[in-house]
Amino acid sequence: MASAVPILTFLAILAAALNAGLFFIFSVCIMAAFARLSPAEGAAAMNAINAVIQNPWFFSAFFGGALLSLVLTVLGFLQDGPGGLTAAAGGTVFLVAVIGVTVVFNVPLNEALAAAPAGSPEQAALWQRYLDVWTLWNHVRTLGALAAVGFFTLAFRQGAALG
């Protein structure tokens, strides 16, 4: 398994970087553009994205990143040396700041937005909260994914991670 670790670490770098880029574009562009739309239009656009994003490409990067992070966290704690602990730090950060935040904060907001009647006062009120709260937690995911990229890259450089 030790010989596969550099490959797993490299794949984790790619997965975390893909997630960081996705979250970054939402934080700096997409949500600001949606804020310029009416609540009904913004909610409809976000609901469409939330439906379309559930595809094999996204799931590969998101859940693949989670699986790689879990494996590297466990292996990292079992290894001696800075590469192992650095890989474990990257995996832990990804699991908490990307997967955990998504599950605890972003997905419930997505589900509430999808359930709100289109064009209703309830949807309009939810949309304003959504813009503020969802985007805040998306910033956390962006920084978390970037931090994971940094940790995984450093682990890779510290002797090809754990290998």
Side-chain angles (χ1 to χ4, degrees), residues 63-119:
F63 294 114
L67 180 60
L68 289 163
S69 292
L70 181 61
V71 169
L72 290 171
T73 298
V74 171
L75 292 176
F77 281 123
L78 296 175
Q79 291 289 320
D80 290 330
L85 292 178
T86 307
T92 301
V93 167
F94 190 89
L95 290 169
V96 172
V98 174
I99 304 301
V101 166
T102 299
V103 169
V104 173
F105 298 104
N106 295 90
V107 168
L109 286 166
N110 292 344
E111 291 171 347
L113 187 65

Side-chain angles (χ1 to χ4, degrees), residues 13-103:
I13 293 167
L14 296 178
L18 285 170
N19 281 281
L22 173 69
F23 300 145
F24 177 77
I25 198 68
F26 270 89
S27 284
V28 303
C29 175
I30 293 172
M31 297 311 288
F34 285 174
R36 294 180 177 194
L37 302 174
S38 72
E41 293 170 326
M46 192 67 193
N47 283 334
I49 286 175
N50 288 333
V52 170
I53 202 167
Q54 296 182 42
N55 65 68
W57 291 106
F58 171 72
F59 286 156
S60 294
F62 189 75
F63 294 114
L67 180 60
L68 289 163
S69 292
L70 181 61
V71 169
L72 290 171
T73 298
V74 171
L75 292 176
F77 281 123
L78 296 175
Q79 291 289 320
D80 290 330
L85 292 178
T86 307
T92 301
V93 167
F94 190 89
L95 290 169
V96 172
V98 174
I99 304 301
V101 166
T102 299
V103 169

